[in-house]
Amino acid sequence: DIQMTQSPSSLSASEGDRVTITCRASRSISTYINWFHQKPGKAPKLLIYAASSLQSGVPSRFSGSGSGTEFTLTISSLQPEDFATYFCQQSYNTPRTFGQGTKVEMK
Amino acid sequence: EVQLVESGGGLVKPGGSLRLSCAASGFTFSNAWMSWVRQAPGKGLEWVGRIKDKSNRGTIDYAAPVKGRFTISRDDSKSMLYLQMNSLKSEDTAVYYCTRERSDHGDYCLDYWGQGTLVTVSS
């Protein structure tokens, strides 16, 4: 199985900050990576698919990059509604696997 | 509007069985790949399995921890997805989400999620 390792596991940031979350795959997954965020008690929501494509309706402050084994999710200017837990997921093969999550908290 | 609505969760004893259902609407269900994802309390997301559409032979894949105990099925005439869970263990306690895996244009992503249904395995 492909292991997805996210870092950091948590971070504290302020409104307006630029935030970067990293995900590393245990082997090359090309650009088959997706990013989600999840608020407490809610289902995850797709933000970025295929490493860098913005899901319809998602604000442009979210962006993704990378290929192979190293990927990043960037929030250019953190908004109050962005405080949540972020997950990466590989869709290169099955079983699909997720990163362990990064909790973005208010500083 | 795409909607996925899970039902069937509840409390079950270890070794017991439960069947989850997911009612889909707002898209052509018969053409969709559908997946189950679970989340144990306070933990991360875990992929359970996926069923492809008939044009892809309805192929089903499972995660190792549930293979042989869980069965995913679909009824395209009713736009329903199912998860039959047998020989349940305490570690199966989780919120179970029904999701659609978008598979067109080579983009494989879970673009729609249900609200989830809680399964608790406890004596």
Side-chain angles (χ1 to χ4, degrees):
Chain A
D1 298 0
I2 296 174
Q3 308 303 315
M4 303 297 287
T5 304
Q6 274 182 249
S7 61
S9 55
S10 65
L11 64 91
S12 296
S14 300
E15 185 177 338
D17 284 353
R18 182 181 181 89
V19 169
T20 299
I21 298 167
T22 297
C23 194
R24 177 180 290 122
S26 59
R27 63 178 176 96
S28 177
I29 58 171
S30 183
T31 56
Y32 290 98
I33 186 169
N34 309 305
W35 292 93
F36 304 84
H37 75 183
Q38 183 181 32
K39 297 180 184 179
K42 300 293 188 182
K45 177 185 173 183
L46 178 66
L47 302 172
I48 300 286
Y49 63 94
S52 61
S53 296
L54 193 67
Q55 171 68 355
S56 176
V58 174
S60 59
R61 62 181 179 272
F62 291 95
S63 64
S65 65
S67 67
T69 61
E70 296 280 336
F71 303 89
T72 59
L73 172 72
T74 300
I75 309 171
S76 60
S77 178
L78 198 66
Q79 298 302 300
E81 59 268 31
D82 300 335
F83 292 99
T85 301
Y86 291 77
F87 296 94
C88 61
Q89 179 232 357
Q90 65 82 15
S91 55
Y92 182 80
N93 66 5
T94 57
R96 305 298 199 219
T97 45
F98 291 88
Q100 78 279 16
T102 296
K103 188 172 185 179
V104 176
E105 298 175 300
M106 191 178 303
K107 185 182 286 183
Chain B
E1 179 195 7
V2 171
Q3 281 201 308
L4 298 170
V5 180
E6 303 95 337
S7 59
L11 176 63
V12 61
K13 289 181 167 51
S17 297
L18 208 57
R19 187 176 89 150
L20 305 183
S21 301
C22 171
S25 60
F27 63 101
T28 305
F29 181 79
S30 59
N31 293 344
W33 294 11
M34 299 298 296
S35 300
W36 290 97
V37 175
R38 68 184 181 182
Q39 187 170 36
K43 302 296 186 183
L45 300 168
E46 181 183 22
W47 185 83
V48 172
R50 180 200 61 205
I51 184 167
K52 294 183 179 179
D53 64 319
K54 280 193 169 52
S55 71
N56 285 281
R57 297 176 294 181
T59 301
I60 307 173
D61 295 293
Y62 296 98
V66 307
K67 197 168 187 178
R69 300 187 299 123
F70 288 13
T71 302
I72 297 174
S73 62
R74 63 192 298 161
D75 184 338
D76 289 346
S77 68
K78 297 180 180 177
S79 296
M80 294 291 294
L81 177 72
Y82 303 101
L83 180 65
Q84 177 67 43
M85 304 184 292
N86 298 331
S87 304
L88 281 161
K89 306 174 183 180
S90 58
E91 51 263 42
D92 296 318
T93 294
V95 173
Y96 285 74
Y97 294 103
C98 167
T99 72
R100 185 181 81 167
E101 180 166 311
R102 190 170 72 211
S103 57
D104 53 322
H105 310 298
D107 301 326
Y108 301 101
C109 58
L110 303 173
D111 63 347
Y112 287 100
W113 296 62
Q115 83 287 353
T117 187
L118 176 63
V119 172
T120 302
V121 184
S122 174
S123 54

